[in-house]
Amino acid sequence: MTKLRIGVIGASGYTGADLIRLAAAHPNIEIGPLAAGAHAGQTLAEVFPHLGRVEAPTLTRAEETDWRGCDAVFSGLPHGAAQDIIKSLPEDLRVIDMSADFRLRDASVYEQWYGRAHEAQDLLAEAVYGLTEFYGPEIAEARLVACPGCYPTAVLLALLPLLSAGLIVADDIIIDAKSGISGAGRALKQNTLFAEAGEGLSPYAIGAHRHGPEIDQEISRAAGRDIVASFTPHLVPMSRGELVTCHVRLAEGVTVGDLRASLDSRYHDAAFAHLLPEGRVPATQHVRGSNHFIVNVFPDRLPGRAVVIGALDNLVKGSAGQALQNFNLMFGLPETTGLEQQPLFP
Amino acid sequence: MTKLRIGVIGASGYTGADLIRLAAAHPNIEIGPLAAGAHAGQTLAEVFPHLGRVEAPTLTRAEETDWRGCDAVFSGLPHGAAQDIIKSLPEDLRVIDMSADFRLRDASVYEQWYGRAHEAQDLLAEAVYGLTEFYGPEIAEARLVACPGCYPTAVLLALLPLLSAGLIVADDIIIDAKSGISGAGRALKQNTLFAEAGEGLSPYAIGAHRHGPEIDQEISRAAGRDIVASFTPHLVPMSRGELVTCHVRLAEGVTVGDLRASLDSRYHDAAFAHLLPEGRVPATQHVRGSNHFIVNVFPDRLPGRAVVIGALDNLVKGSAGQALQNFNLMFGLPETTGLEQQPLFP
Amino acid sequence: MTKLRIGVIGASGYTGADLIRLAAAHPNIEIGPLAAGAHAGQTLAEVFPHLGRVEAPTLTRAEETDWRGCDAVFSGLPHGAAQDIIKSLPEDLRVIDMSADFRLRDASVYEQWYGRAHEAQDLLAEAVYGLTEFYGPEIAEARLVACPGCYPTAVLLALLPLLSAGLIVADDIIIDAKSGISGAGRALKQNTLFAEAGEGLSPYAIGAHRHGPEIDQEISRAAGRDIVASFTPHLVPMSRGELVTCHVRLAEGVTVGDLRASLDSRYHDAAFAHLLPEGRVPATQHVRGSNHFIVNVFPDRLPGRAVVIGALDNLVKGSAGQALQNFNLMFGLPETTGLEQQPLFP
Amino acid sequence: MTKLRIGVIGASGYTGADLIRLAAAHPNIEIGPLAAGAHAGQTLAEVFPHLGRVEAPTLTRAEETDWRGCDAVFSGLPHGAAQDIIKSLPEDLRVIDMSADFRLRDASVYEQWYGRAHEAQDLLAEAVYGLTEFYGPEIAEARLVACPGCYPTAVLLALLPLLSAGLIVADDIIIDAKSGISGAGRALKQNTLFAEAGEGLSPYAIGAHRHGPEIDQEISRAAGRDIVASFTPHLVPMSRGELVTCHVRLAEGVTVGDLRASLDSRYHDAAFAHLLPEGRVPATQHVRGSNHFIVNVFPDRLPGRAVVIGALDNLVKGSAGQALQNFNLMFGLPETTGLEQQPLFP
């Protein structure tokens, strides 16, 4: 079997690590250069002891890395750093970016939310939004894929079919989102210390999270006009997992059954997006470590409303897993290659 | 200092235990009989080792307990069992019930939600709803106080002032609630095992939780007409703590500042309900183990909406602490007696 | 590729579930009948939602299950129940038992520790102890393999090479062991509720754990005479993971370096047992979800002593993973087939 | 009631915070100046939101703090910083230091383990080791009290009576210790991030922890000659709590009952140290948030050995609570003043 050689930029973060974890089990992948600024010179085992038995080269600085021979590069860098490195890569190298740098199509929106001008706008113009279940054909042809944020992935998989079909009221979408703490990354922050975040629940970035405009961009496309969603994230004392509770208003005459039928129809043959049987509640435990997204719809106590709930693993379907799913499409492999792992429970 | 002698029914559950924990530090309380069905004959130290140094009698069966000499009895029994025991108590004994049995004023609503006829309807008629900050004078005179559920306490403290003042739209209240696992009690259930609930987040009883009608009852009172709230609870991997994220629509011309001003005015002198400074986020860690409720209001991304967030400890202000706060009012003691403990963090 | 058809008895417990999780990814396995007493009639998705996409038949009662066509059966039943069912299975069916029923070679020791006579002593006589790294050839030929307990697996992999070589004093072995809560199984017990076991650490079965005599049996074999080890287990607030801290006395003239050299030599080519580089500390996080066992040796503050520390995932290398590793040997497959998953971290 | 005015240095760490939490409930304490380097200028509510309702001044830099009017100062600074500040304090100010700077009587041992010369050796000479149950009279008279480390407190309370009475073999003491993550402090470190430390267990500083020589110093005193203990700490995924499992060899002719009798006799009237009833297992859950230390003794499987297990809350009896207990002695107050809180469970 021919192997495709991949590189990873930002290999010392959690998304980089999860990408390497999955890539190590991918039958068509050979792990090539791993780049990581502060950790250059260390082995993968030193940076991530759990990956100590993966065959991989010592980490290098991105600027000094030789990408020749690579078929694709994954980037797990933070925003800003991502665009700076990616624009310097060889032009024939296909890039799957897990940062926020190429998700927002409008550079001025990017500048407003990320606090710096976008300095790779030509790349931005060609980037394809990597929500696999909705942009598959474009992803297959893309040179640069911008993988969605973890929250947007969950929200969009839950709502896009409903919005496109006009089943819910586009101006009344309230998303109450919850994430495990790995979503904040491996950088040192007081609020992600165990003693601070354990045994407690806290909302954050209320009305001001950067995934808000990203969600708006995509739901507006589906709705056919500019809309805005309410979006309130919370930090939950678990390492992995993300759950979005979407409080929606039904369009006139529409029932909860119609919503379920729409999702069923959309995802019936999907490899990684699944409508649960009626009444079964999505829980993050049930997708941990896997690339699966699960969703269900419930009647609300308030007449005319419904609750659409989706769950995924923020580091897998919310990041590295979806990146690999996109890689499979880009290189003509079956979508599920290397992603067949069952969830880890308990 | 004269001591008041109290009894506890349902002493072997978490609310019973937390009541005893707090009562042991209350300068005016002498702990009298402790009743608990299955655990009768055991010492408190055997049932709850952390209370091993509290002076208390051996547990007895409620039916065989001698309540003479008691000034008040707290009940931590499950619903159903509570009414059966409480109606058999001496008539001059003041009762503070932490179960759901006397919260719903309408016996037919009770029957619908709790699956059995109410068999102490005369007591139901005289019971006072024990939301201390709103029913203080009635509580002071009551013989039987029905302490609110943990979720309703948080929701009502967050929303009643806003509803009464007409600052939010009464027909568009969406409550996304999150609770620690002690809220499910000490009874053995598969979904509250550590290996099931740890490292995971799951919604439950979506649109069908028994605290829904209790919330409706009280917000309808404040709104002056029958209203219904959307209510979706989630189970969070922590032992204690409850957070309610209330997504509300502002009444015409009303601002987030108006909401904060209303809460500030209402709680400025309150001992246990506090509006946080502008922008500071309520988190359950910051009230753990204490009787404090904290609330704040945030602008939403969706124009015309706001997010009202409240947090408390489900076993304290959400149950045993509020029960003791009511006890203080009933016996003419300062409201804060025995409840001055600071939160435990980290 | 020809598939081997397997059945699972006790499919509704955690070891059964983890066996199914791994088997679903095994290229040579076809999942056949799943038996589980109380859950007969339910689908796998109902019993374990995280396995909802695994192709598997509805659960049946063991007594009513048709094992024809199966090449092997895995048992995840509790002790006692295991022997009753296993002795009733067709004689040509190879059995990999994850219970304690066939681990102790001496039926009288079994009776003493498990409180019932052994009622399948002919099977006991032929059972092979399934510690893969030490009994590989016997396992390959066995009809019935008794997989070791989770603690014994960790302890024996850490100590057997040292004992066999006479590097440590056999009469002074002190094992301080720690396990995640899934080790207690899915049965309902008060002490494994989240609210009880969370945010706390407790020793249990001090000096009286059933894995004690199992450890004695195997270390006595290695030492060439009857010895007893001190063994004190603790319950740790995490779902998975097991760590054994073995406090040992060095034989005369032996150094920590000698211990490391012995383990290095023993495990240099092992697929799933690994000596870490000098100074690197084994941690359960680094093997979670995988079949890997990691070990290292450290100098003690007390002269003449050393600390040997081993870590594994109690449900994988400590149970279902080792069972599958044994299955591979029994059917002539490469030892690592279906077990290549990297650990899940964070 | 006259109030004593206290100051706190290092008010922005966890031990400082817990000291303030307890002091706020102490009837004889008035909280005076709070010093904290990097956080000077912030309010207590900003640094520790859970203490937002405690009346306290804005934090100041230690060098600029006016200590006049203070009766005592508590220091929660890290070692090194503690001695630098403490030696600059007014000479008539009594000081209760929770750092490691004055625990080791021998300045050369300090230099060896803490990597810097001791620069306040005259203070070191007069400092009293603040293990309340053993040095009460000296503490009462001291100007400077050096509160023991959290691990030494647990180990010494468990073993000193046994060593003094010659009931255990002094040269064969093996301490396997486990701590919650708050023990690592509030400083930012990768290994104390939630995503790193959660769902996992790891030993650390094996044979090389700074509490080792501190334990040696005190057990040597009790044994009457220089001895060394084996000491291996582990990091447990919980915020608070510490448990020491002491594996000891019984002196000739001594029984487990003798050990229990010795501890019973020593702690029968102690306010905060308690021998549990025979067979009851100490667990950190049962002392969380309180100043209580619990201990018990169990027979080992290995003849002639026993397991002595002690548990406490590392931030309370292991630090701030013991500091306050010492303060009470120093100012002639009942030992339990302000420390009567029951443990918080669940």
Side-chain angles (χ1 to χ4, degrees):
Chain A
M1 196 184 296
T2 325
K3 296 254 185 179
L4 296 158
R5 183 174 171 84
I6 65 159
V8 181
I9 313 174
S12 61
Y14 290 145
T15 55
D18 232 32
L19 194 280
I20 295 168
R21 171 179 74 90
L22 295 166
H26 193 295
N28 305 99
I29 283 183
E30 176 197 337
I31 297 176
L34 306 179
H39 294 276
Q42 293 187 292
T43 64
L44 184 56
E46 287 168 331
V47 178
F48 284 113
H50 73 294
L51 298 176
R53 287 162 300 280
V54 172
E55 271 189 56
T58 295
L59 276 66
T60 48
R61 294 177 51 81
E63 299 79 357
E64 297 161 2
T65 303
D66 181 358
W67 303 105
R68 281 174 301 181
C70 285
D71 296 284
V73 165
F74 293 84
S75 165
L77 287 174
H79 62 85
Q83 60 184 261
D84 292 343
I85 303 276
I86 289 172
K87 71 182 177 191
S88 74
L89 293 174
E91 289 203 5
D92 58 343
L93 200 50
R94 298 179 84 175
V95 178
I96 299 145
D97 182 27
M98 301 182 284
S99 86
D101 268 358
F102 300 98
R103 295 172 187 161
L104 295 173
R105 290 185 186 82
D106 184 332
S108 67
V109 175
Y110 178 87
E111 183 166 351
Q112 177 191 343
W113 283 88
Y114 289 88
R116 57 168 274 177
H118 202 295
E119 296 180 358
Q121 298 199 22
D122 48 339
L123 287 175
L124 183 59
E126 71 162 289
V128 171
Y129 191 70
L131 188 68
T132 329
E133 282 71 14
F134 285 82
Y135 295 104
E138 296 89 331
I139 291 166
E141 303 299 322
R143 191 220 144 197
L144 170 59
V145 172
C147 296
C150 49
Y151 286 127
T153 297
V155 168
L156 299 173
L157 289 176
L159 298 186
L160 287 192
L162 311 179
L163 271 168
S164 299
L167 298 175
I168 59 174
V169 177
D171 297 304
D172 195 356
I173 296 173
I174 294 166
I175 301 159
D176 196 286
K178 297 93 177 169
S179 175
I181 294 168
S182 66
R186 207 183 200 191
L188 302 181
K189 299 174 197 161
Q190 190 180 76
N191 73 324
T192 59
L193 291 177
F194 188 98
E196 303 280 323
E199 266 289 304
L201 178 75
S202 55
Y204 67 102
I206 305 160
H209 194 284
R210 285 161 168 167
H211 287 177
E214 184 183 340
I215 291 169
D216 291 351
Q217 168 181 290
E218 297 298 315
I219 59 175
S220 294
R221 248 199 206 196
R225 62 188 171 88
D226 280 358
I227 58 173
V228 172
S230 170
F231 179 65
T232 308
H234 301 71
L235 204 60
V236 178
M238 58 189 185
S239 289
R240 285 176 183 250
E242 202 157 274
L243 190 126
V244 293
T245 311
C246 307
H247 304 275
V248 300
R249 185 178 298 281
L250 298 166
E252 182 104 23
V254 169
T255 66
V256 163
D258 296 333
L259 268 52
R260 294 195 77 254
S262 166
L263 292 167
D264 184 38
S265 153
R266 187 65 180 76
Y267 296 132
H268 195 267
D269 299 320
F272 295 116
H274 314 277
L275 176 69
L276 294 185
E278 191 173 349
R280 197 168 301 160
V281 177
T284 65
Q285 295 96 314
H286 300 151
V287 291
R288 182 168 50 221
S290 81
N291 199 48
H292 294 289
F293 166 79
I294 51 178
V295 64
N296 213 345
V297 188
F298 300 85
D300 196 340
R301 305 182 76 244
L302 265 181
R305 302 195 60 96
V307 186
V308 186
I309 298 176
L312 50 71
D313 182 316
N314 55 303
L315 293 179
V316 191
K317 183 60 180 168
S319 186
Q322 183 155 253
L324 210 52
Q325 192 182 352
N326 289 335
F327 169 89
N328 286 338
L329 296 196
M330 291 164 77
F331 289 91
L333 299 167
E335 187 177 359
T336 58
T337 314
L339 293 169
E340 300 90 344
Q341 294 199 356
Q342 299 297 326
L344 189 72
F345 172 88
Chain B
M1 196 184 295
T2 325
K3 296 254 185 177
L4 296 157
R5 183 175 171 84
I6 65 158
V8 181
I9 314 174
S12 61
Y14 290 145
T15 56
D18 231 32
L19 194 279
I20 296 168
R21 171 179 74 90
L22 295 166
H26 192 295
N28 305 99
I29 283 183
E30 175 197 338
I31 297 176
L34 305 180
H39 293 276
Q42 293 186 294
T43 64
L44 184 56
E46 287 168 332
V47 179
F48 284 113
H50 73 293
L51 298 175
R53 287 160 301 278
V54 172
E55 271 190 54
T58 294
L59 276 66
T60 48
R61 292 178 52 82
E63 300 77 0
E64 297 161 4
T65 302
D66 182 358
W67 302 106
R68 280 174 302 182
C70 284
D71 296 283
V73 166
F74 292 84
S75 165
L77 287 173
H79 62 87
Q83 62 185 260
D84 293 342
I85 302 277
I86 289 172
K87 72 182 177 191
S88 75
L89 293 174
E91 290 203 3
D92 58 343
L93 200 50
R94 299 179 84 176
V95 177
I96 299 145
D97 182 27
M98 301 182 284
S99 86
D101 268 359
F102 300 99
R103 293 173 187 161
L104 295 173
R105 290 186 187 82
D106 185 333
S108 67
V109 176
Y110 178 87
E111 183 167 350
Q112 177 191 343
W113 283 87
Y114 289 89
R116 56 167 276 175
H118 202 294
E119 296 181 358
Q121 298 199 21
D122 48 339
L123 286 175
L124 183 59
E126 72 164 288
V128 171
Y129 190 69
L131 188 68
T132 329
E133 282 71 15
F134 286 82
Y135 296 104
E138 296 89 332
I139 291 166
E141 303 299 322
R143 191 219 144 198
L144 170 59
V145 172
C147 296
C150 49
Y151 286 127
T153 297
V155 168
L156 299 173
L157 289 176
L159 298 186
L160 287 192
L162 311 179
L163 271 168
S164 299
L167 298 175
I168 58 174
V169 176
D171 296 305
D172 195 355
I173 296 173
I174 294 164
I175 301 159
D176 195 286
K178 296 95 178 169
S179 176
I181 294 167
S182 66
R186 207 183 201 190
L188 302 181
K189 299 174 198 161
Q190 189 180 79
N191 73 323
T192 59
L193 291 177
F194 188 96
E196 302 280 323
E199 266 289 305
L201 177 75
S202 55
Y204 67 102
I206 305 160
H209 194 282
R210 285 161 168 167
H211 286 176
E214 183 183 340
I215 291 169
D216 291 349
Q217 168 182 289
E218 297 298 316
I219 60 175
S220 293
R221 250 199 205 196
R225 61 188 171 86
D226 280 358
I227 58 173
V228 171
S230 170
F231 179 65
T232 307
H234 301 71
L235 203 60
V236 178
M238 59 189 184
S239 289
R240 285 176 183 250
E242 202 157 274
L243 189 126
V244 293
T245 311
C246 307
H247 303 275
V248 300
R249 185 177 298 281
L250 299 166
E252 182 105 22
V254 169
T255 66
V256 164
D258 295 335
L259 268 52
R260 293 194 78 252
S262 168
L263 292 167
D264 184 37
S265 153
R266 187 64 180 75
Y267 296 133
H268 195 267
D269 299 320
F272 294 115
H274 313 278
L275 176 69
L276 294 185
E278 191 174 349
R280 198 168 300 160
V281 177
T284 66
Q285 295 95 314
H286 300 152
V287 292
R288 183 167 49 219
S290 82
N291 199 47
H292 294 289
F293 166 78
I294 51 178
V295 64
N296 212 344
V297 188
F298 300 85
D300 196 340
R301 304 182 76 243
L302 265 180
R305 303 195 61 95
V307 186
V308 186
I309 299 176
L312 50 72
D313 182 315
N314 56 305
L315 293 179
V316 192
K317 183 60 181 169
S319 186
Q322 183 155 253
L324 209 53
Q325 192 183 353
N326 289 335
F327 169 88
N328 286 338
L329 296 195
M330 292 165 77
F331 290 91
L333 299 167
E335 187 177 358
T336 58
T337 315
L339 293 168
E340 300 91 344
Q341 294 199 357
Q342 299 297 327
L344 189 72
F345 173 89
Chain C
M1 197 184 295
T2 324
K3 297 254 185 179
L4 297 157
R5 183 174 172 84
I6 65 159
V8 181
I9 314 174
S12 61
Y14 290 145
T15 54
D18 231 31
L19 194 280
I20 296 168
R21 170 180 75 89
L22 295 166
H26 193 296
N28 305 98
I29 284 182
E30 176 196 338
I31 297 176
L34 305 180
H39 294 276
Q42 293 187 294
T43 64
L44 184 57
E46 286 167 332
V47 178
F48 284 113
H50 72 294
L51 298 176
R53 287 162 300 281
V54 173
E55 269 190 57
T58 295
L59 278 65
T60 48
R61 293 178 53 80
E63 300 78 359
E64 297 162 2
T65 302
D66 182 356
W67 303 105
R68 281 175 301 182
C70 285
D71 296 283
V73 166
F74 292 84
S75 165
L77 286 174
H79 61 86
Q83 61 184 261
D84 293 343
I85 303 276
I86 289 171
K87 72 182 178 192
S88 75
L89 293 175
E91 291 202 3
D92 58 343
L93 200 52
R94 298 178 84 176
V95 178
I96 299 146
D97 183 26
M98 302 182 283
S99 86
D101 268 358
F102 300 97
R103 294 172 188 162
L104 295 173
R105 291 187 186 80
D106 183 333
S108 67
V109 176
Y110 178 86
E111 183 166 351
Q112 176 190 344
W113 283 90
Y114 289 89
R116 57 167 277 177
H118 202 294
E119 297 180 356
Q121 298 199 22
D122 49 338
L123 287 175
L124 182 59
E126 70 162 289
V128 171
Y129 191 69
L131 188 68
T132 329
E133 282 72 13
F134 286 82
Y135 296 103
E138 296 89 333
I139 291 166
E141 303 300 321
R143 192 219 144 196
L144 170 59
V145 172
C147 295
C150 49
Y151 286 127
T153 298
V155 168
L156 299 174
L157 289 177
L159 298 186
L160 287 192
L162 311 180
L163 271 168
S164 300
L167 298 175
I168 58 174
V169 176
D171 296 305
D172 195 356
I173 296 173
I174 294 165
I175 302 158
D176 196 286
K178 298 92 178 171
S179 175
I181 295 167
S182 65
R186 206 183 202 190
L188 302 180
K189 299 174 198 161
Q190 189 180 75
N191 74 323
T192 58
L193 292 177
F194 187 97
E196 303 280 322
E199 267 289 303
L201 178 75
S202 54
Y204 68 102
I206 304 161
H209 194 283
R210 285 160 168 169
H211 286 177
E214 183 183 341
I215 291 169
D216 291 350
Q217 167 181 290
E218 297 298 315
I219 59 175
S220 294
R221 249 201 205 196
R225 62 188 170 89
D226 280 358
I227 57 173
V228 172
S230 170
F231 179 65
T232 308
H234 301 71
L235 203 60
V236 178
M238 58 188 187
S239 289
R240 284 175 183 251
E242 203 156 272
L243 189 125
V244 293
T245 311
C246 306
H247 303 276
V248 300
R249 185 178 297 281
L250 298 167
E252 182 103 22
V254 169
T255 66
V256 164
D258 296 333
L259 268 52
R260 294 195 76 252
S262 167
L263 292 167
D264 184 37
S265 153
R266 187 67 180 75
Y267 296 133
H268 195 267
D269 298 320
F272 294 116
H274 313 278
L275 176 69
L276 294 185
E278 192 174 348
R280 198 168 299 159
V281 177
T284 67
Q285 295 94 315
H286 300 152
V287 291
R288 183 167 51 220
S290 83
N291 199 48
H292 293 290
F293 165 78
I294 50 178
V295 64
N296 213 344
V297 188
F298 300 85
D300 196 340
R301 303 182 76 244
L302 264 181
R305 301 195 63 94
V307 187
V308 186
I309 299 176
L312 51 70
D313 183 316
N314 56 304
L315 293 179
V316 192
K317 182 61 181 167
S319 185
Q322 183 156 253
L324 210 51
Q325 192 181 352
N326 289 334
F327 168 90
N328 286 337
L329 295 195
M330 292 165 78
F331 289 91
L333 298 167
E335 188 177 357
T336 58
T337 314
L339 294 169
E340 300 91 344
Q341 294 199 358
Q342 298 298 325
L344 190 72
F345 172 88
Chain D
M1 194 184 296
T2 327
K3 296 255 186 178
L4 297 157
R5 184 175 171 84
I6 65 158
V8 181
I9 314 175
S12 61
Y14 289 144
T15 55
D18 231 32
L19 194 280
I20 296 168
R21 171 180 74 90
L22 295 167
H26 193 295
N28 305 99
I29 284 183
E30 177 197 337
I31 297 176
L34 305 180
H39 294 276
Q42 292 187 294
T43 65
L44 184 57
E46 286 168 333
V47 178
F48 283 113
H50 72 294
L51 298 175
R53 287 161 300 279
V54 173
E55 270 190 56
T58 295
L59 277 65
T60 48
R61 293 178 52 81
E63 300 77 0
E64 297 162 2
T65 302
D66 181 358
W67 303 106
R68 280 173 301 182
C70 284
D71 296 284
V73 166
F74 293 84
S75 164
L77 286 174
H79 63 85
Q83 60 184 261
D84 293 342
I85 303 275
I86 289 172
K87 71 182 177 190
S88 75
L89 293 174
E91 290 202 4
D92 58 343
L93 200 52
R94 298 178 84 176
V95 177
I96 299 145
D97 182 27
M98 301 182 284
S99 86
D101 269 358
F102 300 98
R103 293 172 187 161
L104 295 173
R105 290 186 186 82
D106 185 332
S108 67
V109 176
Y110 178 87
E111 184 166 349
Q112 176 190 345
W113 283 88
Y114 288 90
R116 56 166 278 176
H118 202 295
E119 297 180 358
Q121 297 198 23
D122 49 338
L123 287 175
L124 183 59
E126 71 162 289
V128 171
Y129 191 69
L131 188 69
T132 328
E133 282 71 14
F134 286 82
Y135 295 104
E138 296 89 333
I139 291 166
E141 303 301 322
R143 192 219 143 195
L144 169 59
V145 172
C147 295
C150 48
Y151 285 127
T153 297
V155 169
L156 299 174
L157 289 176
L159 298 186
L160 287 193
L162 311 179
L163 271 168
S164 299
L167 299 175
I168 58 174
V169 176
D171 296 305
D172 195 355
I173 297 173
I174 294 165
I175 301 158
D176 195 286
K178 298 92 178 170
S179 174
I181 295 167
S182 66
R186 207 183 202 191
L188 302 180
K189 299 174 199 161
Q190 189 181 76
N191 74 322
T192 58
L193 291 177
F194 187 97
E196 303 279 323
E199 267 290 304
L201 177 74
S202 54
Y204 68 102
I206 304 161
H209 194 283
R210 285 161 168 168
H211 286 178
E214 183 182 341
I215 291 169
D216 290 350
Q217 167 181 289
E218 297 298 315
I219 59 175
S220 294
R221 248 200 206 194
R225 61 187 170 89
D226 279 359
I227 56 173
V228 172
S230 169
F231 179 66
T232 307
H234 301 72
L235 203 60
V236 178
M238 58 189 186
S239 288
R240 283 176 185 251
E242 202 156 273
L243 190 125
V244 292
T245 310
C246 307
H247 304 276
V248 300
R249 186 178 297 280
L250 298 167
E252 181 105 21
V254 169
T255 66
V256 164
D258 295 334
L259 268 51
R260 294 195 75 254
S262 167
L263 292 167
D264 184 37
S265 154
R266 186 66 179 75
Y267 296 133
H268 195 267
D269 298 320
F272 295 115
H274 314 278
L275 176 69
L276 294 185
E278 192 174 346
R280 198 167 300 159
V281 177
T284 66
Q285 295 94 316
H286 300 151
V287 292
R288 183 168 49 220
S290 83
N291 199 49
H292 294 289
F293 166 78
I294 51 179
V295 63
N296 213 344
V297 188
F298 300 85
D300 196 339
R301 304 182 76 243
L302 264 181
R305 302 195 61 96
V307 186
V308 187
I309 299 176
L312 51 70
D313 183 315
N314 56 303
L315 294 179
V316 193
K317 183 60 180 168
S319 186
Q322 183 156 254
L324 210 51
Q325 192 181 351
N326 290 333
F327 169 89
N328 287 338
L329 296 194
M330 292 165 77
F331 290 91
L333 299 167
E335 187 178 357
T336 58
T337 314
L339 293 168
E340 300 90 345
Q341 294 198 359
Q342 298 297 326
L344 189 73
F345 172 88

